[in-house]
Amino acid sequence: MAEEDTFWLLAAIVEDVLPGFYHPSLIGVNTDTHTLHDLVAIKLPTVAANLETLGLDRDALCSVYVAWFMCLFNQLPSESMLRVWDLLLFEGSKTLFRTSLALLLLHSKLFADLVNAVDQGLIARSRGAEEALRALRKLPLDAVDSNLLISTAANDLGSLPKSLLQRLRLSNCRRVLSDGYIEEVFHKQSRPLCAVRNHKDDNTRKTLLVSNNGAFVWSGDEAGVVCIWDSQTGCLLRRTRTAYQRRVCSMAATRDAGGGHVWIGCQGGVICTFDTRTFELWGILAGHTQDVLAMARVGSQMWTAAGHLVWVWESCESSDPQVTKELNCFGKDILSLLASESGLFVLCGSIAGFVVLDALSSLLSPLS
């Protein structure tokens, strides 16, 4: 394979097939190892029960699963490893779960025998745990029969529906990001929430945004603090800051579902972009000279407003978005931008009123 092709294959694996796996926070791989732990309990309840009986808790087991996932099962014999990699590129990260479950299923008798030995007093429980952990680390080395491994992974585990994986991943993402810390600020009511205030400081949340199909709520305040909350539980998942701790003025998401980015308009014209999967700062966009008071996603574009100028950005998902148009709508500071559901029109509001722009031509619409 050519050097450039190899690079782009690596980029596709890291960014698309296994997003977040190799991020400094390891959010992706930690989420998926905890998800595997839950799948073992669902798909292989006897194996899960035996491992628990031997004294292996979630953290101990996930420490083994991390080694499997991070190296993409390079501990497997070469033929088995290459077949797993083929499936990984063809079917995605679900292959890691199926391969792991197949390894555990093929060696289930080993763990049952250890439990029997402990129950009969042949070995101490602590010794049983040590033997089980040692065996788990060596499981990939014993998968010499690639046909048996792939057949078991494909045929003996039943279905792994996307909805199940999404539910488990969301739950375990909360587990990993919150690290067990829950701060309740959202309360489900029959009426909308109007204001949220952090009880630990006096900075009222000025800006709110939902991302990932409503799974997360993003909030920003005057001190440049950005918080991400679980919309279902009110759990604080992450607290971070804008670049240079600039005041948060506006927010918009580049897409409704899946990955994407949240753009945050700040004091002084700075725009910070955050990854919605890892919640890490993705990029810093400069150029505006005044506070970015409004922004809106319009199709594949992002419109941002600072002062009386509106900028239209292309390639919003990339690390290097580009401004392709600059619009002067009012001569007065623009306070809000709103895209129509069809994406054909954009309403620009200021203290002087509002105008409707054609999103395709960026010209004043007859609707005005």
Side-chain angles (χ1 to χ4, degrees):
M1 182 180 289
E3 186 175 314
E4 183 177 353
D5 292 337
T6 303
F7 169 79
W8 287 115
L9 176 60
L10 176 63
I13 292 172
V14 171
E15 296 177 0
D16 300 324
V17 180
L18 302 171
F21 261 51
Y22 304 100
H23 188 274
S25 67
L26 299 180
I27 176 63
V29 69
N30 284 328
T31 295
D32 275 4
T33 53
H34 282 279
T35 298
L36 173 58
H37 183 274
D38 294 339
L39 286 172
V40 173
I42 295 170
K43 292 292 183 178
L44 306 174
T46 302
V47 173
N50 286 336
L51 292 173
E52 183 177 0
T53 300
L54 291 167
L56 298 182
D57 61 12
R58 177 185 286 268
D59 290 339
L61 292 169
C62 285
S63 69
V64 176
Y65 303 153
V66 163
W68 294 357
F69 283 11
M70 287 292 288
C71 298
L72 305 184
F73 290 104
N74 72 342
Q75 311 97 322
L76 289 168
S78 58
E79 182 179 347
S80 299
M81 178 189 70
L82 293 175
R83 293 186 66 178
V84 168
W85 286 3
D86 282 343
L87 287 172
L88 177 66
L89 295 174
F90 185 71
E91 295 189 349
S93 59
K94 183 187 294 188
T95 299
L96 299 183
F97 297 130
R98 286 197 171 275
T99 303
S100 302
L101 292 170
L103 287 172
L104 291 169
L105 179 58
L106 290 171
H107 294 83
S108 57
K109 185 176 183 301
L110 185 154
F111 304 116
D113 290 344
L114 282 174
V115 170
N116 289 334
V118 170
D119 290 343
Q120 295 172 19
L122 300 177
I123 59 174
R125 187 171 299 277
S126 58
R127 174 70 182 281
E130 293 174 3
E131 291 293 333
L133 202 55
R134 187 178 299 111
L136 280 167
R137 293 185 176 124
K138 293 175 59 179
L139 288 191
L141 298 174
D142 297 332
V144 177
D145 189 338
S146 62
N147 289 329
L148 179 60
L149 176 65
I150 299 303
S151 175
T152 303
N155 303 319
D156 297 345
L157 299 170
S159 64
L160 290 180
K162 185 177 180 180
S163 58
L164 172 63
L165 295 182
Q166 287 179 334
R167 176 170 58 82
L168 293 178
R169 277 173 163 158
L170 178 58
S171 174
N172 285 302
C173 182
R174 295 169 187 156
R175 176 194 297 275
V176 172
L177 289 172
S178 65
D179 196 24
Y181 171 66
I182 295 179
E183 178 182 358
E184 291 188 4
V185 291
F186 292 102
H187 300 280
K188 292 188 176 181
Q189 304 177 39
S190 58
R191 61 182 185 279
L193 292 173
C194 297
V196 177
R197 181 181 292 271
N198 186 346
H199 65 268
K200 291 187 177 181
D201 58 57
D202 294 327
N203 294 308
T204 301
R205 305 287 166 186
K206 294 189 61 177
T207 309
L208 293 173
L209 172 78
V210 294
S211 71
N212 300 68
N213 273 343
F216 305 124
V217 175
W218 295 64
S219 64
D221 66 19
E222 295 179 354
V225 175
V226 177
C227 293
I228 301 97
W229 316 84
D230 185 314
S231 63
Q232 296 184 15
T233 65
C235 172
L236 176 63
L237 300 176
R238 184 69 180 271
R239 179 184 281 110
T240 184
R241 287 185 179 273
T242 59
Y244 322 118
Q245 301 183 19
R246 299 292 182 91
R247 180 176 73 245
V248 176
C249 302
S250 57
M251 291 182 176
T254 58
R255 67 172 83 165
D256 292 326
H261 301 90
V262 166
W263 285 39
I264 298 182
C266 303
Q267 171 191 17
V270 172
I271 297 173
C272 300
T273 62
F274 287 81
D275 191 309
T276 60
R277 295 169 296 193
T278 64
F279 305 148
E280 296 286 344
L281 182 65
W282 171 259
I284 302 172
L285 308 176
H288 282 300
T289 58
Q290 300 184 54
D291 297 354
V292 184
L293 296 180
M295 55 177 55
R297 184 192 71 202
V298 184
S300 61
Q301 302 171 335
M302 186 66 74
W303 290 37
T304 61
H308 60 277
L309 298 177
V310 174
W311 284 4
V312 179
W313 301 75
E314 300 282 358
S315 305
C316 300
E317 296 282 9
S318 73
S319 58
D320 187 28
Q322 299 294 321
V323 178
T324 57
K325 296 179 184 177
E326 180 179 278
L327 312 174
N328 188 337
C329 297
F330 280 107
K332 294 184 179 293
D333 286 356
I334 297 170
L335 303 178
S336 61
L337 291 172
L338 178 65
S340 66
E341 185 174 356
S342 65
L344 298 178
F345 304 104
V346 180
L347 284 75
C348 304
S350 79
I351 195 171
F354 74 91
V355 295
V356 182
L357 298 178
D358 185 306
L360 298 179
S361 66
S362 303
L363 299 176
L364 197 66
S365 167
L367 293 176
S368 297

